Amino acid sequence: MVTRSSLKHLRIPFSLFLMPVFLFSLALTPNHNEGRLLLIFLALHLFLYPSSNGYNSYFDKDEESIGGLKHPPKVTPDLYWLSHVFLLVALGLGALISWSFACMLLTYALVSMAYSHPSVRIKKYPWASWFIAGFFQGYFTFAMTYAGLSDLGWDVLLKPHVVIPGLMTSLMLWGNYPLTQVYQHREDSRRGDHTLSIKLGIRGTFLFSAFIFALTGAAFVWYFLDRNQVEVIWVYLGAMAPIMLFFLIWFGFVNSNPEKYASYSWTMGMNSISALVLNAFFIYYFLENTQIMQVFGY
């Protein structure tokens, strides 16, 4: 029997925060098929990501706030099996696209399992966990989505037109990922996880993220300039403005009182505004880059 607590640990709404990667890939994919698009979206956001969330929660045995759950319920044994059921559904949907795409989904899932499973527990290693999480949630997911939408195989992962924007999505996540850990120092230390945020310290985490954010912004401006999409740059910078304003205000409060303001509520505020603004921007970019609205006479 599946308990309500296990369903909560899947944190399905949390998939919203990873949707910009899907949307950016969709905007750059030359082939659009409604059936493939729906299957890939469901496989990733409704089943694969929740499966990873549930699996990680099962082994983390979270007692304090985690992303999307301020007060996580007690972990029960059925969560382990529920996460596997969701994974099987994701793989089944992936197989309807292609076996290559299904294998990519499985690769993502296995890496995610290694992230928290006690026999490997990548999460214990600060730089490795930071790099791997950002790489697979960014570049690999971008390339996987591109391959699925275009009915391509593993070779697409090495194509420059996929690698460059894919790595840009990883940059976004590499900047934000340490910030998601600033309120979990006590919980992570209890489990023996030496996260990057613990290694850098709270103020060091903010400075590090600020550097990566600046690098990310420069990369996107260069990318749009290279594609002669100057007007998109201004929309992008306008979209980034509220995110950076929130970050700077938060950083200011953290400087005055790290223990008080490096909190769950501020972290989720940063995540929420980033997800809403970035999703809106990449939807705009999809419409602008594909000119798909012209099909409907706009």
Side-chain angles (χ1 to χ4, degrees), residues 21 24-25 49 104 108 131-147 154-174:
V21 177
F24 191 28
S25 185
Y49 294 152
M104 292 177 188
Y108 180 101
F131 178 82
I132 290 171
F135 181 83
F136 277 91
Q137 290 182 348
Y139 160 75
F140 187 83
T141 298
F142 178 94
M144 174 169 59
T145 301
Y146 192 100
W154 285 84
D155 58 315
V156 78
L157 272 72
L158 299 178
K159 301 294 184 182
H161 67 280
V162 173
V163 172
I164 293 172
L167 288 176
M168 287 161 55
T169 64
S170 282
L171 270 178
M172 291 192 303
L173 291 161
W174 281 327

Side-chain angles (χ1 to χ4, degrees), residues 103-116:
C103 288
M104 292 177 188
L105 291 174
L106 180 59
T107 300
Y108 180 101
L110 292 174
V111 171
S112 179
M113 290 175 177
Y115 185 80
S116 60

